[in-house]
Amino acid sequence: MSKYRGKLVGAALGFSFGGPIGALIGAAVGHYFDKNSKKGGVWYSKESERELHFITSLILLLSGTARADGIVTLQEVDAIRTFFRSRLGYKGREMEFIESIIHESFQKQINLPETCASIIHRTSYEERLFLLHLNYQVAVSDGWLNIQEEEYIRQASMNLGIEEYDYLCIRNSFSAYQYASGGAGSSPTPPADPYTVLGIPHDCSEEEVHSTYRSLVNKYHPDKVSHLGKEFIDLANRRFLEIGHAYEQIKNERGLG
């Protein structure tokens, strides 16, 4: 996304969006810009339109996770802001505009099926996997994953068309937060069971082990999300290594070549 940074505000002024995305962008523009702001002279492109749509969809999903239990914590809001400011590198005027979208997202009801449909229209399957991962990061930013947040993210996963075993692989990497009571600075412990990491049963065949590994490596390869920024690449690298480690454990346990 950094390739298009600096065009975000122009896209907001220059394009007309429909559905939940359009409503949120329209409100954010009204919140941030003076009513006398001029559209003329602001440069924008189709690339910046896609960036704005993707970012707004992501904010809607993340804010929905933060609101799922009826209590929005400062850690959750800060986790959303930090992602855009520190991880994706937005700053200045662009970050101020993103802040306005975040602000507006907490004022509006979120139609999850419509929002997810908008995301599906403009993202690849691999991109949606990492959107799901980021929702879990927001949910556990206060050190706890409660049942309402879990259910919201599961519904988001279903509406995003995420396959069950992909959902379970992501969910399992945050399972420690379901019973941990540590503070926001604690980190989830990766599941010890390599079968859980790969999302396969213990009695699966050797071919299922190999085919599942190949499928996951393809989906989580860092190259799949290299255009989305450093945070997504970091997530992919961590997941990629976790999958590889689990696969090696299973191969050693079974004596596979």
Side-chain angles (χ1 to χ4, degrees), residues 226-244:
S226 60
H227 61 294
L228 295 180
K230 184 178 182 299
E231 172 71 3
F232 286 88
I233 296 172
D234 288 345
L235 288 175
N237 281 327
R238 289 197 296 271
R239 185 74 182 122
F240 197 74
L241 291 173
E242 183 183 53
I243 291 166

Side-chain angles (χ1 to χ4, degrees), residues 164-236:
E164 180 70 7
Y165 71 88
D166 284 331
Y167 163 74
L168 290 175
C169 283
I170 295 172
R171 174 188 176 276
N172 288 338
S173 67
F174 291 92
S175 61
Y177 278 105
Q178 292 180 305
Y179 50 82
S181 58
S186 59
S187 300
T189 302
D193 183 3
Y195 291 89
T196 301
V197 174
L198 299 187
I200 53 178
H202 283 256
D203 59 355
C204 67
S205 66
E206 292 182 8
E207 176 54 34
E208 189 173 356
V209 172
H210 294 309
S211 63
T212 298
Y213 169 72
R214 289 192 296 267
S215 175
L216 291 174
V217 163
N218 180 59
K219 287 176 181 176
Y220 288 95
H221 197 284
D223 287 349
K224 296 278 189 177
V225 292
S226 60
H227 61 294
L228 295 180
K230 184 178 182 299
E231 172 71 3
F232 286 88
I233 296 172
D234 288 345
L235 288 175

Side-chain angles (χ1 to χ4, degrees), residues 17-33:
F17 296 86
I21 303 301
L24 186 58
I25 292 175
V29 170
H31 175 81
Y32 180 68
F33 295 100

